[in-house]
């Protein structure tokens, strides 16, 4: 059908094209899916010159976007030194593997072990035996906290940045001296923004990066940006030479005014000396230095709160609270979201006088999470006095019919859903079928609201009306600060209703669970609500990201024992609170993962 629908496109390729085979550099999963939707067969493979060169390839009748397929006949693959995420270095052997480098015993001994060749690539297998390449061993970034960050994955997170011609993610020595920080080298596309001068374009790119950072796990966020004014050095397969770029940055070639090679995003504009600062300005600089635990001298007016100082949404709450207390201010949500640099903060405070050297002793920064929002109090059950209950029944009834016929839901552990009081359902997320599957499994036991991406489900008036009025969806802006979304969710929980959240923030491209964000723990502790872990299996097989049509099959929805907040207390110290949030988030994620043990994701067609 797709070949007929896109017959004109096929004719552009001659009309008889049987297969696309892709190798060399990684193929974007979205591009793979796009060609598949037009009826083209795309088969991505992987290998090295030392392996003659192909090791794996996607079968034409069963390719997976993002994967490089399965091993060829006679090729043995083994992933060694596997971490908790199932990622390790790929070793291989077979008749296609070289015996060694010519006249270079030292290089040969470095990569050959008893006939096994060390590829130097970090990979993982999925439950169907498909191989996914994550990155290079030498490129892995190990953060201060011991987290492994893979540059290729981070680049995929930021791949759609506007006005960016090239992006390279790499690790640079951390300021603490123990570990590395995630840095990005960017070549701006000045042609795409002819009305912007270089500094304005750089600020625009930095703000966009900060917005994306709020939607992904904290360890994958870009913490510093360097702007390069020429094309990045690349290999013959057009991959950026990270080691060479890193060396240039360490040698100062990425710094402003050095050989014209590049320019870092940090403006070398020192603020006025401490003696020249006003009391208000001194308070702001000292506050930022204390919250970020950075030297006062490193904080510049153009420093980005997120990228340079590491101030995320929750840390910003602490900063705003102390500024409100110190200057007797009230910060509207729109202003809070617009504060992205130190200069923005200085401008907002302006010439106001300092009324208190320390934060007030009354309400704490937690109170900012409990400010009122504009959540529809009747849940969309009436509009202008007219009930829309029949429409809600019809919409939900149709959904229930679909999930009890063409797609079926098998619910397990529903007894763990609290009979009364507020509760949070925290589920893994790999398909657009996830929310409806959970709601079907819950049935009419409790009223459950759904935290939904504002940029996807509320980007038109019609979609906003349908999802908010008929399906109790709450808009959650993933690209802003996230504070307003947290408030909306907390307000729902205060009404003692249920709330469904997907702590991963976005759908998984592979079906494997991503890191949970701490927002779920923030909501639970602030609203004093237990968190019920929810595991969704096989929804990815029926409707993965990029696929248009739903396959028939059975989706498993399993509920586990709630994670309660009994052992967690609200404290005033932001650092200690972060540890609590992180600890609870990790516990929730572990519970969700455990619910899937023994229930590997597999194709419904095979079943």
């Amino acid at each position: 059908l797709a070949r007929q629908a896109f017959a004109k496109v096929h004719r552009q390729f001659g009309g008889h094209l049987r297969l696309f085979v892709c190798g060399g550099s990684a193929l974007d999963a979205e591009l793979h899916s796009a060609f598949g939707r037009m009826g083209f067969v795309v088969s991505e493979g992987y290998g090295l010159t030392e392996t003659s060169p192909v090791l794996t390839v996607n079968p034409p009748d069963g390719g997976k976007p993002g994967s490089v397929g399965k091993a060829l006949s006679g090729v043995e693959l083994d992933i060694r030194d596997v971490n908790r995420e199932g990622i390790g270095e790929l070793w291989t052997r077979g008749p296609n593997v070289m015996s060694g480098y010519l006249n270079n015993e030292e290089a040969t001994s470095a990569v050959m072990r008893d006939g096994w060749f060390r590829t130097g690539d970090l990979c993982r297998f999925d439950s169907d035996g498909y191989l996914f390449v994550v990155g290079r061993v030498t490129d892995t970034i190990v953060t201060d906290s011991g987290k492994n960050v893979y540059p290729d994955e981070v680049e995929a997170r930021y791949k759609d940045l506007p006005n960016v011609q090239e992006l390279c993610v790499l690790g640079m020595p951390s300021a603490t001296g123990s570990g590395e920080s995630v840095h990005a080298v960017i070549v701006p596309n000045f042609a795409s923004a002819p009305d912007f001068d270089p500094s304005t374009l750089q600020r625009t790119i930095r703000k966009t990066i900060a917005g994306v950072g709020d939607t992904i796990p904290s360890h994958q966020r870009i913490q510093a940006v360097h702007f390069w004014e020429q094309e990045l050095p690349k290999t013959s397969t057009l991959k950026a030479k990270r080691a060479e770029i890193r060396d240039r940055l360490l040698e100062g070639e990425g710094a402003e005014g050095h050989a014209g090679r590049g320019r870092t995003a940090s403006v070398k504009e020192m603020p006025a000396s401490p003696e020249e600062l006003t009391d208000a300005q001194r308070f702001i600089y000292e506050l930022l230095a204390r919250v970020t635990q950075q030297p006062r001298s490193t904080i510049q007016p153009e420093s980005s709160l997120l990228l340079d100082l590491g101030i995320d949404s929750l840390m910003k709450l602490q900063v705003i609270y102390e500024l409100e207390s110190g200057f007797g201010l009230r910060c509207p949500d729109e202003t809070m979201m617009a504060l992205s640099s130190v200069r923005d903060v200085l401008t907002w405070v302006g010439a106001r006088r300092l009324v208190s050297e320390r934060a007030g002793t009354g309400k704490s920064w937690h109170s900012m999470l409990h400010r009122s929002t504009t959540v529809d109090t009747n849940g969309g059950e009436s509009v202008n006095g007219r009930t829309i209950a029949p429409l809600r029944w019809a919409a939900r009834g149709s959904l229930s019919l679909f999930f009890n016929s063409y797609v079926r839901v098998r619910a397990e552990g529903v007894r763990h859903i609290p009979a009364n009081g507020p509760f949070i359902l925290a589920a893994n997320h790999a398909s657009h079928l996830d929310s409806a599957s959970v709601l079907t499994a819950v049935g009419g036991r409790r009223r459950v609201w759904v935290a939904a991406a504002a940029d996807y489900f509320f980007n038109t008036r019609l979609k906003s009306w349908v999802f908010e009025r008929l399906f109790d969806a709450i808009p959650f802006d993933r690209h802003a600060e996230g504070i307003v979304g947290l408030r909306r969710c907390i307000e729902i929980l205060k009404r003692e209703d249920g709330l469904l959240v997907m702590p991963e923030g976005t759908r998984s491209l592979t079906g494997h669970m991503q890191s949970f964000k701490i927002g779920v723990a923030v909501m639970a502790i602030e609203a004093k609500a237990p968190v019920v872990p929810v595991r969704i299996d096989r929804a990815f097989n029926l409707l993965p990201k990029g696929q248009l049509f739903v396959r028939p099959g059975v989706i498993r929805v399993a509920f586990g024992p709630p994670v309660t907040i009994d052992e967690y207390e609200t404290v005033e110290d932001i650092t200690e609170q972060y540890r609590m949030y992180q600890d609870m988030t990790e516990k929730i994620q572990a519970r969700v993962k455990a619910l899937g043990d023994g229930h590997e994701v597999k194709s419904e067609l095979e079943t």
Side-chain angles (χ1 to χ4, degrees), residues 163-459:
N163 305 317
V164 170
Q165 184 171 316
E166 292 186 74
L167 166 68
C168 175
V169 172
L170 45 80
M172 294 290 286
S174 173
T176 63
S178 58
E180 296 179 305
S181 299
V182 181
H183 285 223
V185 177
I186 285 177
V187 178
N189 185 355
F190 292 104
S192 66
D195 298 332
F196 286 0
D197 61 80
S199 61
T200 301
L201 182 59
Q202 289 180 11
R203 282 199 301 273
T204 301
I205 293 173
R206 287 159 60 95
K207 286 185 177 181
T208 306
I209 290 175
V212 175
D214 277 344
T215 70
I216 64 177
S218 58
H219 65 279
Q220 290 187 330
R221 293 172 187 162
I222 293 174
Q223 297 171 326
V225 180
H226 309 267
F227 288 100
W228 212 270
E229 295 182 345
Q230 64 179 19
E231 185 177 332
L232 297 177
K234 300 181 185 68
T235 66
S236 59
T237 55
L238 301 182
K239 299 174 183 175
K241 295 181 178 179
R242 290 194 178 94
E244 181 178 333
I245 295 170
R246 174 188 165 102
D247 289 343
R248 288 189 184 184
L249 290 176
L250 290 175
E251 292 170 4
E253 293 190 13
E256 182 179 6
H258 190 287
R261 296 280 188 134
R263 184 167 59 225
T264 63
S266 299
V267 177
K268 303 302 180 183
E269 172 196 340
M270 288 298 293
S273 64
E275 296 75 18
E276 299 174 358
L277 292 176
T278 65
D279 290 342
Q281 291 171 335
R282 186 179 300 107
F283 178 86
I284 293 172
Y285 279 113
E286 291 176 355
L287 167 62
L288 294 174
R290 173 164 50 84
V291 170
T292 62
Q293 297 183 343
Q294 292 194 25
R296 156 70 180 80
S297 59
T298 64
I299 302 175
Q300 313 293 326
E302 298 300 333
S303 296
S304 167
L305 297 181
L306 176 62
L307 298 180
D308 295 325
L309 304 184
I311 298 177
D312 62 10
S313 299
L314 293 177
M315 290 179 71
K316 184 182 279 191
L317 282 184
Q318 172 74 9
V319 172
I320 297 298
Y321 164 69
E322 295 206 28
L323 290 174
E324 286 186 342
S325 302
F327 294 95
L329 292 170
R330 170 88 175 193
C331 185
D333 291 334
E334 310 80 58
T335 302
M336 186 184 304
M337 290 187 284
L339 298 178
S340 61
S341 69
V342 175
R343 187 178 298 281
D344 291 337
V345 176
L346 293 169
T347 302
W348 172 56
V349 173
R352 293 180 177 86
R353 289 190 174 186
L354 187 65
V355 298
S356 172
E357 284 288 342
R358 301 293 299 172
T361 56
K363 295 181 179 179
S364 71
W365 65 271
H366 299 277
S367 65
M368 300 185 68
L369 283 169
H370 297 270
R371 289 179 180 174
S372 61
T373 58
T374 54
V375 179
D376 188 352
T377 56
N378 61 38
E381 293 171 2
S382 66
V383 180
N384 297 329
R386 297 179 181 178
T387 180
I388 58 171
L391 281 178
R392 287 167 60 87
W393 295 336
R396 289 167 177 262
S398 300
L399 194 66
S400 178
L401 178 63
F402 178 79
F403 279 89
N404 284 283
S405 54
Y406 185 78
V407 173
R408 299 175 302 284
V409 174
R410 189 178 81 234
E412 301 175 9
V414 291
R415 66 184 183 281
H416 295 301
I417 299 174
N420 50 64
F423 65 96
I424 297 174
L425 300 176
N428 59 304
H429 192 25
S431 171
H432 274 324
L433 299 176
D434 292 338
S435 297
S437 300
V438 175
L439 294 178
T440 301
V442 174
R445 293 174 179 85
R446 294 292 306 274
R447 182 174 188 176
V448 177
W449 299 66
V450 181
D455 58 302
Y456 194 96
F457 294 99
F458 293 82
N459 57 348

Side-chain angles (χ1 to χ4, degrees), residues 140 145 198 217 255 366 559:
T140 304
S145 59
H366 299 277
F559 301 88

Side-chain angles (χ1 to χ4, degrees), residues 9-66:
V9 180
H10 282 263
R11 285 196 297 271
Q12 294 291 329
F13 287 97
H16 302 286
L17 186 64
R18 183 175 65 88
L19 182 70
F20 274 114
V21 179
C22 179
S25 192
L27 175 64
D28 184 89
E30 293 285 357
L31 186 60
H32 184 291
S33 298
F35 272 84
R37 289 194 293 271
M38 291 189 291
F40 290 101
V41 179
V42 181
S43 188
E44 184 178 7
Y46 158 78
L48 302 93
T49 301
E50 292 89 340
T51 61
S52 305
V54 185
L55 290 172
T56 67
V57 69
N58 269 285
D61 58 346
K64 287 189 177 183

Side-chain angles (χ1 to χ4, degrees), residues 566-582:
D566 297 341
E567 59 185 286
Y568 302 100
E569 296 180 1
T570 299
V571 295
E572 293 307 314
D573 181 68
I574 188 72
T575 304
E576 183 62 28
Q577 191 70 50
Y578 255 80
R579 293 197 195 97
M580 289 187 182
Y581 290 150
Q582 192 64 49

